[in-house]
């Protein structure tokens, strides 16, 4: 059994709490959260509201708080030489106070409260200062996920940039598409199956082989017509830049 | 029973053939395809290789050929005053020869040969010159899909621009992300669950409520760091433009 304390119950923390309590081999002994749970929620019985009540015997302390609070919260913990990890994709391991043995337990997924995801499919990216802690984190990782990787702070930082493209920027393209549809009184809902299938395709194909459309065909007539149809200057600029990006690949083929 | 002839067996045609042969109420009487099917494929028995052999008694002739061949193929058909429809998202109904009663039967999805999609979830966008033909296309549409809409050529043309954003451009962002990962010897596969969940989120949330990340938070420190990490000029430019697009929404909130 791995004894775990969870500090924070936000988007990431709440998903971790759920998977830790339902996984054999993990003993979630405390959850720090200032917000009360339902009385019927078993988490309520292990909830603490004051970090002074922290159990000092856990093997791993997981700090699942906003990026800019990690340093401060880890400093506050009255622990010494204990394994303290954060769950962030963009914060260096070294932002955790050096009074702890430091590590990272980063589930690479976009979480929203209320939506459930199959945790076993989520890549867990691990880092630790020493081999023994890394092994413990690997053991914990393998209990909850089929996909566990050792990733350094430097690598995690590069990954974070790349993740912004597939997550935030992709979502912005959905948003722009919704703007265009609304402009013409058309229902954005029509695109939902297309959006899903576009994401499904790259589960088995490379983005290069999944690509279709006017830019891929270098179909200048259609591209010109589309640019003429776009009224919004910013939409036009994004259309031009991404079209150029696709056409340039074609030339490199 | 609706008697249908299918002209073309490419990405769209092959999916239509599959769903038409497995749907009650539809009688697929001929498929024009110059390529032979397996002998065990029931389509082989109704395949024609010469448009001169065209059955003249069908109720609907579906021309599922590349966009730039629609006009020519429809001209070639030795039919008169028959309902001939194309399946394209970007071609006007009027590109079909005026010797036919014209229409459009456009399944809004990205098709690849070899991948199966649940056709009943695909929005089918219809158009016809006269009410009776529209009703017949609606009847056909409802037999294969839960989601049938009447969409004019003008609307379809606007939709096509918006579809490029959620399909081709989104796929290009996947590709750029893969480039960045490769550059740092990281495995793009790590992003597959994130890609899927980003698409899943907007099935129930609006793109506005699904958005997260540094641009959404206007986190200038992280944005600057990311721009510093991006070595490729084009990647940097796309990062800047999409970040600006997200931040501008923030200001309009």
């Amino acid at each position: 059994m791995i004894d775990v304390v969870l500090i924070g119950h936000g988007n990431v923390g709440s998903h971790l709490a759920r998977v830790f309590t339902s996984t054999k081999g993990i003993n979630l002994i405390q959850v720090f959260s200032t917000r009360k749970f339902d009385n019927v929620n078993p988490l309520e019985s292990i909830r603490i509201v004051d970090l002074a009540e922290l159990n000092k015997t856990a093997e791993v302390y997981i700090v699942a708080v906003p990026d800019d609070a990690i340093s401060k919260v880890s400093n506050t913990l009255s622990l010494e030489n204990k394994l303290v990890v954060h769950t962030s994709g963009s914060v260096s391991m070294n932002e955790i106070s050096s009074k702890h043995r430091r590590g990272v337990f980063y589930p690479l997924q976009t979480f929203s409260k209320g939506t459930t995801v199959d945790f076993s499919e989520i890549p867990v990216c691990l880092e630790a200062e020493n081999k023994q802690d890394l092994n413990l984190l690997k053991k914990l990782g393998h209990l909850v996920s089929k996909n566990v990787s050792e990733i350094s702070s430097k690598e995690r930082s590069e990954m974070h940039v790349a993740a912004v493209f597939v997550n935030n920027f992709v979502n912005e393209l959905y948003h722009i598409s919704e703007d265009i549809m609304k402009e013409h009184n058309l229902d954005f809902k029509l695109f939902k199956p297309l959006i899903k299938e576009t994401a499904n395709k790259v589960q088995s194909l490379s983005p290069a082989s999944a690509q279709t459309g006017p830019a891929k065909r270098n179909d200048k007539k259609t591209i010109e017509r589309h640019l003429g149809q776009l009224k919004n200057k910013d939409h036009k600029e994004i259309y031009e830049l991404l079209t150029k990006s696709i056409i340039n690949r074609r030339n490199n083929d």
Side-chain angles (χ1 to χ4, degrees), chain A:
Chain A
M1 277 305 239
I2 306 177
D3 285 350
V4 176
V5 165
L6 190 57
I7 294 143
H9 195 266
N11 280 342
V12 176
S14 60
H15 281 88
L16 289 177
R18 187 182 51 79
V19 68
F20 287 165
T21 47
S22 62
T23 303
K24 271 189 193 168
I26 300 175
N27 186 20
L28 184 60
I29 54 178
Q30 278 185 338
V31 176
F32 170 77
S33 169
T34 50
R35 215 174 301 166
K36 203 176 174 307
F37 301 113
D38 279 342
N39 283 327
V40 293
N41 187 334
L43 288 180
E44 183 58 22
S45 64
I46 57 168
R47 186 170 72 98
I48 58 170
V49 292
D50 186 345
L51 287 173
E53 301 167 48
L54 208 62
N55 181 310
K56 305 263 162 81
T57 68
E59 285 164 276
V60 194
Y61 295 81
I62 299 182
V63 177
V65 299
D67 287 1
D68 54 10
I70 291 172
S71 166
K72 200 180 155 200
V73 169
S74 76
N75 254 308
T76 311
L77 305 178
S78 51
L79 298 169
E80 249 168 73
N81 200 30
K82 281 295 203 173
L83 177 57
V84 175
V85 304
H86 73 61
T87 60
S88 166
S90 60
V91 169
S92 163
M93 179 171 71
N94 295 332
E95 289 206 20
I96 297 171
S97 162
S98 62
K99 68 181 176 180
H100 308 299
R101 284 158 27 221
R102 300 180 281 196
V104 177
F105 188 92
Y106 165 50
L108 200 177
Q109 185 51 289
T110 172
F111 294 103
S112 315
K113 273 200 173 176
T115 64
T116 353
V117 285
D118 180 359
F119 209 97
S120 71
E121 298 293 338
I122 298 175
V124 175
C125 304
L126 304 176
E127 188 179 3
E129 283 184 301
N130 72 64
K131 192 77 192 162
Q132 215 176 329
D133 289 339
L134 186 66
N135 284 338
L136 181 68
L137 292 179
K138 277 185 184 168
K139 203 175 138 191
L140 183 67
H142 283 298
L143 286 170
V144 293
S145 168
K146 291 185 275 188
N147 192 343
V148 176
S149 314
E150 190 185 342
I151 302 278
S152 70
S153 283
K154 166 79 169 56
E155 288 169 327
R156 203 155 26 79
S157 159
E158 304 295 356
M159 271 174 58
H160 192 242
V161 184
V164 165
F165 281 82
V166 297
N167 180 12
N168 310 148
F169 290 170
V170 160
N171 189 74
E172 177 60 13
L173 293 184
Y174 298 158
H175 206 156
I176 290 171
S177 184
E178 188 190 40
D179 292 342
I180 298 170
M181 292 293 272
K182 274 187 184 162
E183 204 181 306
H184 301 286
N185 293 313
L186 291 162
D187 192 348
F188 178 65
K189 281 201 199 91
L190 288 168
F191 285 153
K192 288 186 178 180
L194 179 61
I195 285 172
K196 249 187 153 166
E197 182 59 16
T198 303
N200 275 343
K201 262 192 174 179
V202 294
Q203 305 294 314
S204 53
L205 296 175
S206 70
S209 8
Q211 193 58 286
T212 59
K216 169 77 175 183
R217 295 192 305 271
N218 201 8
D219 172 353
K220 293 207 170 68
K221 211 179 103 189
T222 303
I223 293 167
E224 281 310 313
R225 197 182 63 228
H226 284 178
L227 284 170
Q229 284 172 265
L230 287 167
K231 297 291 163 253
N232 181 306
K233 204 181 103 310
D234 297 333
H235 296 173
K236 220 192 256 287
E237 210 181 339
I238 291 168
Y239 187 103
E240 277 174 332
L241 201 54
L242 288 168
T243 293
K244 198 182 75 182
S245 185
I246 298 172
I247 291 178
N248 286 345
R249 294 186 185 280
R250 200 175 182 284
N251 298 341
N252 295 332
D253 273 355

